[in-house]
Amino acid sequence: MKSCDVLIVGAGPTGLVLALWLTKQGVAVRIIDKTAEPGTTSRALAVQARTLELYRQLDLASAVIDKGHKVPAINLWARGEKAARLPFEAIGEGLTRYSFLEIFPQDEHERLLVSRLEALGVSVERQTELLDFSDEGEHVAARLRGPGGEERCEARYIAGCDGARSRVREIMKSGFPGGTYRKIFYVADVEASGPPINGELHVALDEADFIAIFPLSGQGRARLVGIVRDDRAAQADTLRFEDISDRAITHLKVRVEKVNWFSTYHVHHRVTDRFRKGRAFLLGDAAHVHSPVGGQGMNTGIGDAINLAWKLAAVLAERAPDALLDSYQAERIAFARRLVKTTDRVFTLVTAEGRMADILRTRVFPFLAPMVTRLAFVRRFLFRTVSQIMLNYRGGPLSRGIAGKVHGGDRLPWVKVGDGDNFDGAMHWQVHVYGRAGAALTAWCRKQNIPLRKFVLRRAYRKAGLAANTAYLLRPDTYVAVAGGGADAFARYFAETRIRP
């Protein structure tokens, strides 16, 4: 019988990132997938700014940026005319190092993650599926079927990263409430030409069609995403690209020269009842699925993986109690529910049918959008939301205090300092002080072996909401655990949570 610390079921981006983080922390993992090879179609495209920030800790951000395509702006179109242009570089400036939308197709993304994992000595076990598992109290006993037949595996924990039809979720008997949208989407990777094939993202809101054009790296390559309307939706399984309406495509003056991949799919909106049951966890699409509006799905799964990874590593190293793992559900399920609700509203607005909906989309919205998006606070709010840098765990079980405008549970505000910034690639607890650090705090950090980073006080830090001469305790995932309070507050925090940093 093979054994490991964590058995990861599913080798999409969520499972691969979980395996990478755990392996870098010295945790023994097995990662299995029932497919014979990684995905060969682009599927998820967007890598949001918050994901890139977290990828710095895995030494992945630069590779993703080098291999992908930076999208500098979103353009909104109606009735063949451009209604508004939202430049990412301007609205995200000063908020993150990654003030753009990164396009990196999922098949290439997975290959990069697999290669990094293999460099650490871990390979994905292909054509291997989970048949069953049971929680034995001190471990999980799993039954697997691979190329060599059935086998048994013993693991301390099991992580279900196995998608919307999750076998792990089925065995956990965790519900998956929600529904399926009636409309059918199509997706096509094409080679094309025309004004919108300019490296930016374009969205057309027409009476008969909705279409989004995502740029891909390489000359003239793009991803088209649209809705199949009317009677054709009933024949979705047999549709070809030639069968879809080209009204919106024609309005945008796009000339499709070659179709490399075409598919249709239903969109679901569901969140599982529980993210944890005993020694089993659900992550990514196994835990939540929603509309593709905003490019949030894959990024949310990666966020799940990193949130859970540092907690599993701490518990397995006996530096935290098993109860720490309960905070995974507390922190991530609330965000998943908000995300599904938000994307549901936007999806319904964008795809609504009827005369009034058409008037709102093609006449009212194009009139209001340019005026609204000229307002700086609106543009920044949109960027913060879509990029996920606004995601926080305020009020959660691991969050304490307020200092300046920063609350416990917030992402650490990013501030540029010369050619660098106040972020780093650390995967451990650390303390930041913006200004003077007292002797007691310095001594406590030294005794606890927690790095103390001291920053010369600058106006930029105050502008970002960081209080002067105040300490912030950061978790391994760069969220603020305790805002303010110093050595006594930090010591009390670790005593209450029973975490040993």
Side-chain angles (χ1 to χ4, degrees), residues 46-65:
V47 183
Q48 303 291 356
R50 183 57 183 152
T51 300
L52 291 171
E53 289 179 349
L54 294 168
Y55 268 11
R56 284 179 68 179
Q57 297 179 289
L58 293 169
D59 192 29
L60 280 170
S62 296
V64 170
I65 293 168

Side-chain angles (χ1 to χ4, degrees), residues 343-415:
T343 56
D344 183 59
R345 289 195 190 110
V346 176
F347 181 84
T348 301
L349 175 66
V350 168
T351 62
E353 296 184 52
R355 183 61 181 160
M356 184 56 67
D358 288 339
I359 290 172
L360 286 173
R361 268 200 309 269
T362 63
R363 299 178 188 274
V364 177
F365 182 74
F367 174 75
L368 293 177
M371 293 189 292
V372 172
T373 54
R374 284 194 198 104
L375 301 173
F377 79 91
V378 172
R379 296 198 306 270
R380 289 170 76 85
F381 174 79
L382 289 172
F383 180 82
R384 286 175 185 270
T385 302
V386 173
S387 67
Q388 296 197 355
I389 64 173
M390 198 161 66
L391 190 161
N392 67 76
Y393 304 128
R394 291 184 183 184
L398 301 180
S399 305
R400 309 279 193 280
I402 304 173
K405 296 179 182 178
V406 178
H407 294 236
D410 285 356
R411 157 193 172 267
L412 176 72
W414 177 85
V415 181

Side-chain angles (χ1 to χ4, degrees), residues 69-231:
H69 174 77
K70 290 183 183 179
V71 178
I74 292 180
N75 298 274
L76 303 176
W77 295 69
R79 295 182 295 166
E81 299 293 332
K82 190 182 293 186
R85 182 178 185 273
L86 202 61
F88 273 117
E89 291 173 334
I91 63 177
E93 188 177 5
L95 299 176
T96 175
R97 174 188 285 241
Y98 310 107
S99 58
F100 48 84
L101 175 65
E102 179 73 8
I103 296 295
F104 189 44
Q106 186 174 330
D107 53 340
E108 298 177 43
H109 197 153
E110 287 183 15
R111 286 198 294 271
L112 172 63
L113 294 171
V114 166
S115 68
R116 291 298 179 90
L117 194 56
E118 289 177 343
L120 296 175
V122 178
S123 296
V124 176
E125 298 177 42
R126 294 282 174 190
Q127 296 179 288
T128 302
E129 64 178 314
L130 173 71
L131 298 177
D132 202 358
F133 76 87
S134 59
D135 189 332
E136 302 297 324
E138 294 300 314
H139 66 272
V140 169
R143 191 161 57 92
L144 312 177
R145 180 166 57 213
E150 285 195 18
E151 65 164 295
R152 295 188 179 275
C153 173
E154 188 175 287
R156 296 281 299 280
Y157 297 95
I158 185 169
C161 307
D162 48 342
R165 295 183 176 87
S166 170
R167 176 63 178 152
V168 176
R169 188 185 64 243
E170 181 183 349
I171 296 169
M172 286 171 62
K173 294 183 168 55
S174 180
F176 206 29
T180 302
Y181 294 108
R182 180 173 54 85
K183 294 180 175 63
I184 300 291
F185 265 71
Y186 73 82
V187 57
D189 283 356
V190 302
E191 295 174 24
S193 58
I197 311 300
N198 64 350
E200 298 186 354
L201 196 158
H202 298 262
V203 178
L205 304 170
D206 275 63
E207 292 96 333
D209 289 304
F210 161 84
I211 186 171
I213 301 176
F214 294 84
L216 300 176
S217 58
Q219 185 68 32
R221 294 183 61 232
R223 155 79 67 88
L224 308 182
V225 178
I227 293 175
V228 179
R229 295 188 186 270
D230 57 53
D231 295 338

